[in-house]
Amino acid sequence: MKMLSKIFQRLMAVAAFASVSFLASCAPEEAEEPLLLAVGDSFAYVLDDYPAATSTYEVSPSSIASFEGNELTVLAEGSFTITVSSATSTYVREGQAVERTLSAYHPGGRLNIGSTLELSLRTGPNSAYLEQISGFSCASFEGTAVTGVSEGTAAFHFRTEEGEVSQVIELQVIDPSKPTSVRLLSDVEETPVGTYFALTPLVTPSSMDGSVEIVVDQGADLVRMEGLRGYGLHPGTVRLHAECLGVSSAEVSIEILDESYLDPEAFRIYASDYNPAVGESVALSSGIFPAGFESAVDYEVRAIEGDWSFDAENLTVTPSSVGSCVVSAVCGTDQSNDIRLYSHASEAEPLTGDLRLNRRNYDSLGMGVSFQYSGEEETSIAVLDGEAATLSDDSLSPTVEELGGILTVAALGPGGMLSNPVSFTTFESDPYAGISSEAFMAAFVPAASNDDAYYRSAHGLPSGSDASFDSIPVRPEEVPMGSDGEFLRNSSAVYVDFGAGYQLYDEHGEPSSVLYAAGGYLTLEDVAAYIYGFGDVPANYEADRSFSPTASIWGSYLRLNNTFFSGDTDNYPYEPELPRIYGCGGDLRYYEVDIGGGGYNNGTTVNRGSLRIVYSRLYSDRSPIEDLEDRYVFYTYNHYNDFQEYLNYRGGWGERFGKVTAGGIANSSSGPAPSPYVPVTRVNFLTLF
């Protein structure tokens, strides 16, 4: 009873806290007003003297609320009973679930020890007061000001005398001298003996990442650790975790396989220079997926003309005379691409001019490829790097004899001098030839690679879903917010598939999907993310706003419009001003595109509607925007009256702003001015969670 008495005294000291009843062995004390919670809430129900790790949490009936561990979720309106039991005592509380009627402002989920945070309502009467629900040892409050006391989780909501409640505001109280989170990533889940794997610790805040240590929990005799790299010594399972200032990451498991698994999925070798001078060394390297196989690569250098030496320890090739050689490599049973190097005399004149491919990358399917070169007259085309693809002759208008690989060529001039190299991809087969749009969509899956996306686009087939979407973007249930209640924009930019795939993440910083440069995309989420990642529109867009679907291979998947958006708020006073927009004196030229929606394109005619994406495409000098920090992507559902910013993650949309948001009438020059752009904070989601 001593423990229970202490709990009772502490809880009763909180003026706004509803009454509690206890059971030590049999009958409870008389219960007062029950705890009020809102339907749909989910939060950690933590009692000071009943730690979650050593207690049992139950709720009855389960149709009204449920527990998973100590996580309480309110499912429906009604009365329920919470029972928390430890080895020595039991805590019982009556609860009442109601439909939420108040809306609280959520300032962010973290609070430092010793810091104070002001909580407030978005909507509701001024008489509503703050009530603490759990985590009484972690935080205290006075009025609406909450102060962090010790590490843990505390939960609050607003309540009126009439029994109305807001959603639960859950605060994680953290020690600012420790990391808020530590994650450990591995580039592989399994790797053969004799190969490396790489570890990446992600610490929040990143300023503490210098204090990270890698700890091998299991299999220390199977692996040799070299900082953040591990080298497989013997087959078996290795388990590791990262520690930083007393905070540990989740464990990572890596399976060390025997030598028979030395079979990479992708394997290419590279040279630092195709055209060294006599006596100048060229560095060799390999690109392997999964990563870590580099130590198992065996290189071979075969002289064609002249003398060449190979330094296996430093992976360099050095010519001692003018000539050429072929470099290849093996990894397990896999053969790499061949690289051809040409050496020139150190005193030779550089080859001037510029070699250009007449067709864009991914346009060489089954066709001849012609080059343009202006410079030395006595030149021919030389293959520098090729897999299955070869050139039929040495003229400046060669054809591709074999398809299926990456081809790099250059103009070869007198004395072994080379021009700039040009690379492109050829294809071996067409997986979508003869497949109807109906059959394709009936078995639709997203594109798996940029090559796959290219083939689809060649037949007017989309690489992403054509699912319908709401005119108002749907946010995830847990929207990451900053400490001041601002929306967060994911600043990470990860490209895959040799830079042709843009990796998307969800609101938890977990990989979501990949968009490919050669693909056509249709949904609001896909198009917004594509434009953000690649700075332009997908393949199924035509800039001409009057283009007919019947004149396009895309048919009903055609989308129109990629034209300059003036942002002229003098002539269009109902439009809010976008960040740094050229039309208002800024340095960013914005463009607008149609985003479709229901009934947009029936395959014969286009009904453009009012849904648009507006994005920063060029700087004021008309140069393309390469820095993603300067890329802004906005969505407007009501023809430029209101906007929301795309925040570079699935479901990530910022605060709406504009004319109607300010309480005005759409397209009206009178009434309140449009509300201004709501700034966001840019955070790398890969290190945030």
Side-chain angles (χ1 to χ4, degrees):
M1 290 294 292
K2 182 178 181 182
M3 177 189 299
L4 298 175
S5 176
K6 184 174 71 171
I7 296 173
F8 184 77
Q9 292 172 4
R10 181 169 61 253
L11 295 181
M12 291 302 292
V14 181
F17 189 72
S19 63
V20 182
S21 57
F22 300 94
L23 285 175
S25 57
C26 50
E29 299 285 344
E30 182 181 355
E32 297 183 16
E33 187 177 3
L35 175 69
L36 284 176
L37 295 174
V39 173
D41 276 340
S42 180
F43 65 98
Y45 192 81
V46 180
L47 301 178
D48 300 349
D49 292 333
Y50 292 76
T54 59
S55 301
T56 300
Y57 291 76
E58 296 179 352
V59 63
S60 179
S62 58
S63 60
I64 305 298
S66 64
F67 269 111
E68 183 173 344
N70 70 312
E71 185 84 3
L72 176 65
T73 299
V74 183
L75 305 173
E77 287 188 82
S79 301
F80 58 91
T81 302
I82 296 172
T83 304
V84 185
S85 300
S86 69
T88 58
S89 58
T90 300
Y91 165 90
V92 177
R93 180 157 195 189
E94 295 178 356
Q96 184 76 25
V98 299
E99 285 290 352
R100 181 183 303 154
T101 57
L102 306 182
S103 175
Y105 176 67
H106 197 297
R110 292 174 178 164
L111 176 63
N112 287 344
I113 294 175
S115 296
T116 299
L117 192 65
E118 192 75 27
L119 303 182
S120 61
L121 281 171
R122 288 185 185 273
T123 60
N126 295 330
S127 59
Y129 57 89
L130 190 65
E131 180 175 58
Q132 187 166 7
I133 301 171
S134 67
F136 301 95
S137 65
C138 306
S140 61
F141 75 99
E142 183 175 350
T144 56
V146 179
T147 301
V149 177
S150 63
E151 288 185 278
T153 301
F156 301 83
H157 65 196
F158 282 89
R159 178 180 176 185
T160 67
E161 295 293 346
E162 291 75 25
E164 298 174 325
V165 293
S166 73
Q167 77 273 29
V168 170
I169 303 175
E170 191 171 69
L171 298 176
Q172 181 186 3
V173 182
I174 60 176
D175 184 344
S177 66
K178 298 180 181 179
T180 56
S181 70
V182 180
R183 295 173 63 193
L184 183 63
L185 306 179
S186 173
D187 60 343
V188 295
E189 294 181 355
E190 55 185 30
T191 191
V193 167
T195 62
Y196 283 96
F197 59 87
L199 301 173
T200 303
L202 300 176
V203 180
T204 305
S206 59
S207 58
M208 297 182 180
D209 58 10
S211 302
V212 173
E213 295 182 2
I214 303 298
V215 179
V216 180
D217 302 314
Q218 175 184 320
D221 58 331
L222 307 179
V223 66
R224 181 178 72 244
M225 294 304 302
E226 301 172 1
L228 295 177
R229 291 206 312 169
Y231 182 81
L233 298 173
H234 307 287
T237 301
V238 178
R239 300 186 187 278
L240 316 95
H241 74 270
E243 288 191 359
C244 181
L245 303 176
V247 179
S248 299
S249 72
E251 201 171 56
V252 170
S253 178
I254 299 170
E255 193 72 20
I256 307 297
L257 308 174
D258 63 43
E259 292 87 342
S260 65
Y261 287 88
L262 192 58
D263 183 21
E265 296 179 32
F267 173 35
R268 288 188 59 80
I269 61 171
Y270 304 90
S272 61
D273 186 7
Y274 294 109
N275 196 204
V278 171
E280 180 184 0
S281 295
V282 173
L284 303 178
S285 60
S286 60
I288 296 182
F289 180 81
F293 285 40
E294 291 84 357
S295 59
V297 175
D298 292 323
Y299 292 86
E300 179 186 0
V301 178
R302 179 165 51 91
I304 304 300
E305 298 178 65
D307 297 320
W308 298 75
S309 61
F310 173 55
D311 183 345
E313 182 177 353
N314 296 306
L315 296 183
T316 57
V317 180
T318 306
S320 53
S321 62
V322 175
S324 63
C325 73
V326 173
V327 181
S328 61
V330 294
C331 181
T333 59
D334 281 30
Q335 179 75 36
S336 76
N337 54 304
D338 290 341
I339 296 175
R340 187 156 181 166
L341 309 180
Y342 292 82
S343 60
H344 65 268
S346 57
E347 67 273 10
E349 290 292 327
L351 190 63
T352 60
D354 183 31
L355 181 68
R356 295 181 182 275
L357 180 66
N358 282 352
R359 294 189 177 91
R360 292 186 297 115
N361 195 24
Y362 299 105
D363 273 5
S364 57
L365 178 61
M367 298 181 293
V369 181
S370 60
F371 296 86
Q372 293 176 332
Y373 180 75
S374 57
E376 300 287 345
E377 293 184 0
E378 298 180 9
T379 56
S380 61
I381 298 295
V383 177
L384 306 180
D385 185 351
E387 294 174 341
T390 58
L391 298 178
S392 62
D393 55 49
D394 290 334
S395 70
L396 288 178
S397 297
T399 57
V400 178
E401 284 186 325
E402 300 177 36
L403 301 177
I406 297 174
L407 192 65
T408 300
V409 301
L412 175 62
M417 293 297 300
L418 292 177
S419 73
N420 58 293
V422 172
S423 296
F424 61 100
T425 299
T426 64
F427 298 106
E428 198 166 17
S429 62
D430 185 347
Y432 299 107
I435 296 180
S436 69
S437 175
E438 292 76 14
F440 172 82
M441 295 308 294
F444 175 82
V445 293
S449 68
N450 198 50
D451 285 359
D452 184 18
Y454 165 79
Y455 280 120
R456 295 175 185 225
S457 295
H459 294 281
L461 301 174
S463 293
S465 168
D466 67 343
S468 61
F469 56 88
D470 295 333
S471 60
I472 304 299
V474 177
R475 292 193 180 110
E477 292 184 3
E478 299 179 18
V479 177
M481 306 286 282
S483 59
D484 293 327
E486 76 279 15
F487 284 90
L488 302 180
R489 175 170 138 182
N490 177 22
S491 64
S492 70
V494 177
Y495 292 87
V496 297
D497 200 356
F498 299 99
Y502 185 61
Q503 175 69 64
L504 302 185
Y505 292 88
D506 64 15
E507 69 274 20
H508 303 294
E510 298 294 336
S512 173
S513 59
V514 178
L515 302 179
Y516 294 100
Y521 293 94
L522 303 165
T523 66
L524 172 62
E525 289 278 342
D526 282 350
V527 176
Y530 184 101
I531 290 174
Y532 184 89
F534 295 111
D536 209 338
V537 292
N540 57 315
Y541 271 80
E542 286 285 348
D544 184 354
R545 288 176 284 194
S546 60
F547 202 88
S548 172
T550 59
S552 170
I553 192 175
W554 291 98
S556 62
Y557 303 127
L558 175 69
R559 298 293 181 264
L560 302 180
N561 191 19
N562 187 22
T563 55
F564 178 67
F565 177 76
S566 68
D568 185 352
T569 55
D570 290 333
N571 289 324
Y572 305 100
Y574 57 83
E575 294 181 5
E577 182 178 325
L578 300 182
R580 297 164 56 188
I581 192 167
Y582 179 78
C584 297
D587 63 335
L588 302 179
R589 289 178 176 268
Y590 280 76
Y591 276 60
E592 61 164 292
V593 305
D594 294 359
I595 191 52
Y600 177 83
N601 181 352
N602 63 11
T604 303
T605 58
V606 171
N607 175 19
R608 295 185 57 218
S610 61
L611 310 184
R612 302 281 189 274
I613 283 179
V614 179
Y615 72 103
S616 59
R617 185 184 187 189
L618 305 171
Y619 290 108
S620 55
D621 63 0
R622 300 183 187 276
S623 61
I625 296 175
E626 302 293 345
D627 187 351
L628 268 68
E629 290 297 297
D630 293 335
R631 281 190 193 160
Y632 292 88
V633 178
F634 291 96
Y635 168 64
T636 171
Y637 69 97
N638 57 6
H639 211 254
Y640 323 124
N641 282 271
D642 296 87
F643 291 82
Q644 282 180 273
E645 182 177 4
Y646 175 66
L647 303 179
N648 193 29
Y649 67 90
R650 280 293 183 191
W653 296 96
E655 190 83 2
R656 191 176 304 125
F657 62 98
K659 183 69 173 181
V660 178
T661 304
I665 299 174
N667 304 320
S668 173
S669 300
S670 60
S675 59
Y677 165 66
V678 183
V680 299
T681 298
R682 303 177 188 191
V683 176
N684 188 335
F685 276 27
L686 301 186
T687 61
L688 176 64
F689 299 96

